């Protein structure tokens, strides 16, 4: 069991690093917004989201790495709950297939700000004590993306 967890974590890090170095390319939003490294777009509530999205070190786009890793955390937690008593190979195959899905690549390569906000929300929905986490998400989500408060009504 531990070997499967190690493989999933290693795969998530390697895949996210490939995204961060641009192996899969970048979307239009990257060239128009994120590559210019400015946090002065949007209003005061978008600044943290822009700051996380434009993080770069040399040629490594850390914002895309964060978005991809958050999505892998959600996959792992959700699939662990779903396939508790099943073979771990199912979980590995599903995670590999999901990593090449449109939803994963789009939120990691193009709409990173929205991806970070939505992935944090998805991770928090998997915890049982939702009232406290909803308040935390409402407070932090306001500074990630303007769609964040609306996710609480889902």
């Amino acid at each position: 069991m531990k070997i499967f967890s190690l493989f999933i974590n290693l795969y998530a890090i390697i895949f996210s690093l490939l995204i961060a170095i641009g192996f899969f390319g970048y979307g239009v939003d990257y060239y128009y917004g994120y590559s210019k490294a400015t946090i002065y777009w949007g209003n005061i509530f978008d600044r943290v989201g822009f700051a996380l999205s434009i993080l770069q070190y040399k040629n490594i786009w850390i914002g895309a790495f964060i978005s991809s890793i958050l999505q892998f955390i959600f996959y792992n937690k959700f699939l662990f709950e779903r396939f508790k008593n099943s073979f771990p190979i199912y979980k590995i195959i599903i995670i590999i297939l999901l990593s090449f899905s449109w939803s994963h690549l789009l939120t990691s390569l193009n709409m990173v700000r929205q991806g970070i906000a939505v992935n944090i929300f998805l991770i928090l929905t998997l915890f049982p004590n939702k009232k406290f986490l909803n308040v935390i998400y409402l407070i932090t989500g306001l500074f990630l993306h303007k769609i964040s408060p609306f996710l609480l009504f889902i």
Side-chain angles (χ1 to χ4, degrees):
M1 184 69 169
K2 289 187 181 201
I3 225 159
F4 290 111
S5 295
L6 178 66
F7 177 78
I8 289 171
N9 293 334
L10 193 61
Y11 177 78
I13 291 170
I14 290 171
F15 191 86
S16 298
L17 280 174
L18 287 174
I19 283 178
I21 63 171
F23 182 78
F24 298 109
Y26 296 125
V28 176
D29 286 356
Y30 171 78
Y31 294 109
Y32 287 111
Y34 302 132
S35 67
K36 296 178 182 166
T38 179
I39 61 169
Y40 298 110
W41 287 24
N43 57 25
I44 188 72
F45 293 116
D46 291 336
R47 298 283 164 85
V48 174
F50 271 110
L52 283 175
S53 300
I54 64 173
L55 276 177
Q56 292 185 13
Y57 178 74
K58 297 187 180 181
N59 289 332
I60 298 174
W61 187 15
I62 299 169
F65 180 82
I66 291 170
S67 180
S68 180
I69 283 292
L70 286 173
Q71 195 139 13
F72 276 115
I73 291 170
F74 170 70
Y75 294 157
N76 202 10
K77 179 133 177 71
F78 178 75
L79 292 174
F80 177 76
E81 293 295 323
R82 173 65 177 90
F83 295 112
K84 238 180 235 182
N85 300 321
S86 299
F87 295 110
I89 193 73
Y90 294 142
K91 189 168 134 180
I92 291 173
I93 291 170
I94 291 171
I95 286 177
I96 290 172
L97 291 174
L98 284 173
S99 66
F100 286 99
S101 69
W102 182 247
S103 65
H104 187 103
L105 294 175
L106 185 64
T107 59
S108 300
L109 298 174
N110 196 37
M111 41 185 252
V112 176
R113 222 167 27 105
Q114 297 91 326
I116 291 171
V118 169
N119 287 325
I120 290 174
F121 172 75
L122 289 174
I123 291 167
L124 292 178
T125 59
L126 297 176
F127 290 98
N129 186 5
K130 291 176 83 172
K131 287 184 180 183
F132 176 69
L133 293 174
N134 283 344
V135 170
I136 290 174
Y137 182 74
L138 183 61
I139 293 168
T140 59
L142 281 173
F143 298 100
L144 294 172
H145 194 271
K146 58 189 159 212
I147 195 165
S148 298
F150 298 109
L151 293 175
L152 293 175
F153 298 110
I154 295 177

